[in-house]
Amino acid sequence: MPQFGICIAPDQAAAVKAAGWDFVEGNVQSIFQGLVDDSAWTGEANVKSAALPVPAANCLVPGDLKIAGPTADLDALRQYMSRAIARASKCGTTTLVFGSGGARNVPDGFDRAVAKQQILDFSRMAADIAATHGVTIVVEHLNRGECNIINTVKESMEYVHALNHPNVQCMVDSYHFWLEDEPLENLTAAMKWIKHVHVGDKDGRVAPGQSGTADYRPLFAVLKAGGYNDRISVEAQFLDAPQNYASVLAYLKRVWAEA
């Protein structure tokens, strides 16, 4: 069975641990603070004092540090990523989620082929830095309401294949997967490269099982058939949290067993 965690600040990990979860997934920008010098970095103590490990973190690049578009600055991105990745490694965070819709969104009228190449250039640069620190970057697909590029697992895999780099892999997020009505066949085809998972219900993006309308078993069946045994993070709203932490975890373990 995979490990289950919650996307939440490390200083809230005690309640997560008490409910039986395995880890918490942090926020790259708030913890690793790639825009500030080492002397001003304050995130290390937060991670190392947390009640649970922080093996993964999301929100890789701030929205105003553009990856695609006319103001993209690869040198500025390199400086940011060098700091963030080195600090993540120092804290034992080995998986960084590349969603960052605001940073990679293609401006209106901008050449999409150029934007795709900019994203590839950024990803290749980041992957080379990640390789020196034992960190893996996973490409996250985002629904079209949040970003206008890399909207499906299938599209994520175009970048993974183009880069062909061991430190750039793929992930699946049930919320975005379902909003885009993506077929399970696309996940099946990507299973060799799936190294991280986010879950949340399509309706209201509440935690798994809390909307009563989502069935995770077909998705989990594909993961199980592909031998997935890594981490699954809840990136969603917990109704009446943290009172429902334990019940959501029980639900996830049950539907994983039933899948």
Side-chain angles (χ1 to χ4, degrees), residues 116-193:
K116 181 174 182 178
Q117 187 59 52
Q118 288 176 318
I119 294 171
L120 286 169
D121 290 344
F122 162 78
S123 300
R124 187 173 292 107
M125 172 272 293
D128 288 342
I129 297 170
T132 68
H133 292 284
V135 169
T136 298
I137 296 169
V138 290
V139 181
E140 180 179 27
H141 55 108
L142 301 172
N143 73 80
R144 294 169 204 275
E146 296 184 23
C147 185
N148 63 7
I149 195 166
I150 315 182
N151 303 120
T152 63
V153 169
K154 183 178 181 180
E155 191 178 357
S156 296
M157 286 304 304
E158 293 177 11
Y159 290 79
V160 172
H161 286 316
L163 290 162
N164 191 28
H165 196 296
N167 294 80
V168 175
Q169 301 293 309
C170 192
M171 65 166 288
V172 61
D173 183 306
S174 66
Y175 174 72
H176 300 295
F177 192 84
W178 288 329
L179 277 183
E180 290 295 317
D181 293 320
E182 193 169 3
L184 285 170
E185 289 80 4
N186 289 357
L187 177 57
T188 300
M191 276 310 307
K192 180 180 176 180
W193 297 270

Side-chain angles (χ1 to χ4, degrees), residues 15 19 210 238-248:
Q210 294 199 297
F238 281 78
L239 304 179
D240 298 321
Q243 292 90 334
N244 285 332
Y245 285 170
S247 62
V248 170

